[in-house]
Amino acid sequence: QVQLVESGGGLVQVGGSLRLSCAASGRTFSSYAMGWIRQAPGPGKEREFVAAISWSSGSRSYADSVKGRFTISRDNTKNTVYLQMNSLKAEDTAVYYCAARKNFDGAVLVGKTYDYWGTGTQVTVSS
């Protein structure tokens, strides 16, 4: 079992930066692939994959919409995964969820394949 708690969200202007953190409990954190998935406001908006990282940090994946602006990292000694977000755009406004799954494979791009989820942190980018 893995429990996840996100922090670091808030209100920022277009072009600004934020760093999200996700603290995990459980001794097996280091064996899980970790991901960030977001859900924008509005009816019919589905959760969207943002970024994922393997247990060893040797593999990372990003959505095309955030490549070059966002960086995912993890510190297994602190049971924490991070999402550094730079050059934020209004369309990055969403609730950001941290999630965990056992394997880092092609399915990391699919939000619903994750096994454990945090409760989310709100990111609002104002223009």
Side-chain angles (χ1 to χ4, degrees), residues 32-37 48-55 59-63 99-114 117:
Y32 282 83
M34 299 297 297
W36 288 95
I37 292 92
E48 172 193 21
F49 168 79
V50 176
I53 188 168
S54 64
W55 69 271
S59 297
R60 306 178 198 209
S61 290
Y62 295 94
R101 66 194 308 275
K102 282 300 290 182
N103 298 315
F104 187 94
D105 53 31
V108 296
L109 305 180
V110 183
K112 63 182 179 181
T113 67
Y114 286 75
W117 292 79

Side-chain angles (χ1 to χ4, degrees), residues 4-22:
L4 306 169
V5 179
E6 304 94 337
S7 62
L11 175 65
V12 64
Q13 291 187 329
V14 169
S17 297
L18 280 175
R19 188 176 82 153
L20 306 183
S21 299
C22 173

Side-chain angles (χ1 to χ4, degrees), residues 66-80:
V66 307
K67 279 180 182 176
R69 300 188 298 122
F70 290 12
T71 302
I72 188 170
S73 61
R74 67 190 294 164
D75 185 341
N76 289 340
T77 66
K78 297 181 179 179
N79 279 11
T80 302

